[in-house]
Amino acid sequence: MISINELYTSIEINAPVETVWEEFMNFSEYPKWNPFLPKVNVDLTTGKVWEKVFLGNLFGKRRYSWLPMQILNFDQQREISWCGRVPWIIAIWSYGYHIFYFEKIGPNLTRFSHRGVFSGIFMTLSLSISKIKNNVKIVQEEMNKNLKERCERRP
């Protein structure tokens, strides 16, 4: 069951899980296709992540913010997840987790899922405004669609 503090999107991609994982992990290409996370810097040796994440539409423009994160789980071709908080807000006000799943459902078929779990007073209030939650979900779905198109175009 998805709560008010969660966003979940999923898409089936006609490509092997290895291809989807490789495309997703190619962070340097994100500015070309990823509207939800247009820039991500990851250091897998320390587990540190800096993400530029979509926050919502404000006055007709997409708004983004840089957030420091920490990798929680790294399971090759299965899952990568990270968590963090908005740096200028005390942790009780805003905390978020991004969990990306890569499920092999056939030899050339992968289910890619993104689950965002948000806690804290700030995030609960923000996501309770349906327009903000819908805007974020639309951009997450756009990310999924773009990932699907990139993977399915690859040789």
Side-chain angles (χ1 to χ4, degrees), residues 55-75:
L55 297 177
N57 289 322
L58 188 61
F59 306 116
K61 293 187 177 184
R62 289 184 174 181
R63 299 294 178 201
Y64 294 87
S65 182
W66 279 100
L67 303 176
M69 304 297 236
Q70 180 70 38
I71 291 178
L72 296 176
N73 192 17
F74 184 87
D75 189 356

Side-chain angles (χ1 to χ4, degrees), residues 29 35-36 54 87 123 125 127 148 153 155:
E29 289 288 308
F36 182 69
F54 175 72
M123 293 306 294
L125 291 174
L127 291 176
K148 175 182 174 74
R153 276 198 320 252

